[in-house]
Amino acid sequence: MTQARTDRRAHERGFTLIETIVALVLMGLLLSALASITAQWLPSWNRGLDRIQRSELIGIALERMGADLAAAEFVAPNRDTRRPLFDGSELSVTFVRTSVGPNAGPGLDVVRLGESRDRGEFVTVRTQTRFTPLADGLSLTEQVHLGSPVVLLRAPYRLSFAYAGPDRIWKGAWKGADKLPAMIRLTVRDAASQRVLSVSTIAPVHVQIPGDCTKPDGNCSDKRNSEGATDQGKT
C-alpha cells in the first residue's frame, strides 16, 4: 500500500517556477486592465450619480415652494386696503399663507422665497414671520422682519419667478394688483451656463380674489378687477 502511494506521487507534477512566474505576470496584466477601465468609468458614474442626487434635491425644493405658493391667501395688509399683501419680483416673492409646521398654531404667516447671500454665494432661502396688520405709508421691508431661514437651493443653481393672471401672459413682477396671480413659474438655471433645468415648474395659486367676492352682497365689481389688470399691465 505504501509503495503504490509512493509511485503515484512520483508521477504527479506541480507548477514549475517559470509557469508560476508567467501566471503571476498574466494576473498582473489582468488586474492592471481592470484598474484602468475602472479609473475611466468611475468618474462618469460619480458625475451621473451626483446629477441624479442634485435633481432630486431640486425637485424636493420646487415641490415645497410650489405648495407654499399654491396656499397663498388673499389677505390685505390692513382694513383700509383692498389689495392683497403680495410682492413678486424676478428673484423673490412675498405672500401670506396659513401657518404650517409642527409647532405652528392657528393663524397666518408672511412668507418670503428669494435669494440671499451665504458665504459669498447665492442661495434660495425660505423665511417667515407671523402676520400682523401693517401700517400705511411704510414699506413692507420696514415693517416685516422675517426669520427662521431654510435654505432650499444652493449654487450653482439660481431661481427666478414669473407671474401670470387668467390671461396667461407672463410678467417679471406682480406688485400692487387687486388680485393674486393665477400661476407662478419657477425657473431654475445653472449659473455658469444659464441653462434652464428640466425640473422647472409652474405653481397654480388656488385663490386670486378675496372671500367676500363669493358672497351675494360682496363689493367686488368687474370694474375694480379690470382696473387691477390695467394697473398690473403698467407695472
Side-chain angles (χ1 to χ4, degrees):
M1 180 69 71
T2 303
Q3 184 63 33
R5 183 179 300 174
T6 301
D7 293 341
R8 188 167 59 251
R9 288 182 176 177
H11 290 86
E12 293 177 354
R13 296 183 57 189
F15 290 104
T16 65
L17 179 60
I18 294 177
E19 290 173 337
T20 303
I21 293 175
V22 171
L24 290 175
V25 170
L26 292 175
M27 182 63 72
L29 292 175
L30 179 60
L31 292 176
S32 298
L34 289 175
S36 177
I37 294 173
T38 304
Q40 296 176 3
W41 167 77
L42 191 59
S44 298
W45 170 268
N46 289 333
R47 286 194 296 269
L49 184 61
D50 184 59
R51 284 196 298 268
I52 293 173
Q53 291 176 339
R54 287 189 176 186
S55 296
E56 289 179 350
L57 292 175
I58 294 172
I60 293 172
L62 290 179
E63 183 178 356
R64 178 170 182 178
M65 287 187 282
D68 263 337
L69 294 169
E73 298 278 352
F74 192 110
V75 177
N78 51 57
R79 294 182 178 179
D80 299 328
T81 305
R82 297 288 299 177
R83 293 175 175 176
L85 196 163
F86 188 95
D87 186 86
S89 65
E90 185 178 3
L91 297 179
S92 68
V93 54
T94 304
F95 56 96
V96 180
R97 65 153 297 165
T98 304
S99 299
V100 63
N103 299 320
L108 298 171
D109 286 340
V110 179
V111 178
R112 180 185 184 274
L113 304 172
E115 281 192 341
S116 181
R117 282 277 190 174
D118 181 34
R119 300 176 184 177
E121 64 181 18
F122 286 108
V123 294
T124 301
V125 181
R126 181 190 191 273
T127 51
Q128 67 179 60
T129 189
R130 203 68 168 179
F131 170 77
T132 55
L134 306 180
D136 289 331
L138 296 177
S139 65
L140 187 62
T141 55
E142 291 177 317
Q143 300 185 68
V144 177
H145 303 287
L146 300 165
S148 304
V150 177
V151 176
L152 300 174
L153 200 62
R154 289 190 174 275
Y157 303 112
R158 299 187 69 178
L159 178 69
S160 61
F161 301 92
Y163 313 88
D167 55 6
R168 297 180 178 270
I169 298 176
W170 293 103
K171 304 176 177 67
W174 194 278
K175 301 173 183 287
D178 288 339
K179 296 188 295 183
L180 295 177
M183 296 174 292
I184 302 175
R185 185 173 62 198
L186 295 83
T187 303
V188 182
R189 288 183 173 85
D190 187 298
S193 64
Q194 294 300 313
R195 179 176 61 90
V196 176
L197 273 63
S198 59
V199 292
S200 301
T201 186
I202 295 175
V205 179
H206 296 160
V207 177
Q208 290 94 47
I209 58 176
D212 58 8
C213 288
T214 62
K215 300 177 183 179
D217 57 346
N219 184 18
C220 194
S221 63
D222 293 337
K223 179 180 178 180
R224 185 170 65 86
N225 292 336
S226 61
E227 290 175 353
T230 302
D231 292 342
Q232 179 57 33
K234 296 178 181 179
T235 302

